[in-house]
Amino acid sequence: YSRRFNENVSIVPTTIDTDKYRIVERPEPDVVTIGWSGSFSTVQHLDTIRDVLRELARTEGFRLRVIGTPSYKIPDVDTEAMQWRSATEIEDLGAIEIGIMPLPDEDWSRGKCGLKALQYMALGIPTVCSPVGVNSTIIRHGVNGYIADTPAEWIDVLKKLLHQPDLRRKIGMAGRRTVENEYSAKVVAPKVAEIFRSAAAKGQ
């Protein structure tokens, strides 16, 4: 879009501080937690798979953790809702075994940065995203995460991850490597510095 007006466009992805976001080994839980993080204004995105989660809960045992709003319920789904807190954000995310990022396919969503997915991945949490915007660039399906579009695809992928702890670990570690190699502050910061140097040189 920007290149329609100016050829000199650089894309700087959302970055993660991988010194703060670290993988913490935990024992296998009795109940697997599927988690979503956002805000009261974006929780409508989670609503797009309410029926998926209800259908899943009919045959599978899991807990849903919703970070970003103190009140959220889905009938027949074991749901834990909490306010987003800067001081405990990483700890709150760390209690999740599967991270989800459902999005509606619309202009606003296509411009989102994929931060939720990158946060999950940086913590070694296997991530499932809608194929909207940058998500399809970040996620390589079945390699470092999963892309799910239809209700059937969401249910299939979530069932696999709920039942296969080794798969969760494998995908989670691949996601972590993706963040380290492509989306960490250590990798991106030098590129940003070069963009500023280039802009300054062109302005002289």
Side-chain angles (χ1 to χ4, degrees):
Y1 177 86
S2 298
R3 286 193 179 102
R4 291 188 294 174
F5 307 99
N6 190 317
E7 288 287 327
N8 298 314
V9 175
S10 298
I11 297 175
V12 178
T14 297
T15 58
I16 298 292
D17 184 343
T18 48
D19 287 335
K20 290 183 178 179
Y21 281 75
R22 297 179 179 177
I23 296 176
V24 177
E25 291 294 333
R26 294 183 293 139
E28 183 64 21
D30 293 331
V31 178
V32 173
T33 298
I34 297 174
W36 177 90
S37 177
S39 69
F40 69 92
S41 64
T42 59
V43 76
Q44 59 186 305
H45 299 161
L46 180 58
D47 288 339
T48 63
I49 61 166
R50 284 175 69 90
D51 289 344
V52 164
L53 295 169
R54 288 192 71 185
E55 179 67 25
L56 189 67
R58 288 175 182 168
T59 59
E60 310 299 327
F62 66 91
R63 179 177 296 113
L64 175 66
R65 170 172 281 207
V66 179
I67 303 170
T69 177
S71 179
Y72 189 84
K73 293 182 180 179
I74 300 178
D76 305 315
V77 176
D78 179 8
T79 305
E80 173 191 28
M82 62 177 63
Q83 192 67 267
W84 179 87
R85 298 167 294 181
S86 175
T88 61
E89 180 179 25
I90 296 176
E91 180 182 346
D92 292 341
L93 288 169
I96 294 169
E97 276 79 45
I98 303 168
I100 56 175
M101 187 179 177
L103 288 174
D105 190 5
E106 57 191 26
D107 286 346
W108 176 260
S109 300
R110 293 184 202 114
K112 289 179 69 64
C113 66
L115 175 61
K116 290 186 191 70
L118 294 172
Q119 287 178 300
Y120 303 145
M121 294 164 72
L123 293 170
I125 300 168
T127 303
V128 187
C129 296
S130 298
V132 176
V134 75
N135 287 354
S136 296
T137 300
I138 295 171
I139 300 292
R140 295 187 289 278
H141 183 72
V143 177
N144 64 350
Y146 289 96
I147 293 293
D149 191 11
T150 67
E153 289 172 352
W154 275 98
I155 289 173
D156 179 61
V157 167
L158 290 174
K159 278 188 177 182
K160 283 181 183 177
L161 291 171
L162 284 170
H163 286 283
Q164 300 181 51
D166 288 343
L167 179 63
R168 294 201 303 270
R169 202 168 296 111
K170 174 186 173 183
I171 296 295
M173 291 303 297
R176 169 69 187 194
R177 288 192 294 271
T178 297
V179 172
E180 289 176 341
N181 295 335
E182 302 175 39
Y183 299 97
S184 70
K186 293 176 182 178
V187 170
V188 177
K191 296 179 181 179
V192 174
E194 181 55 36
I195 290 169
F196 279 118
R197 281 193 291 266
S198 175
K202 290 176 181 178
Q204 290 177 352

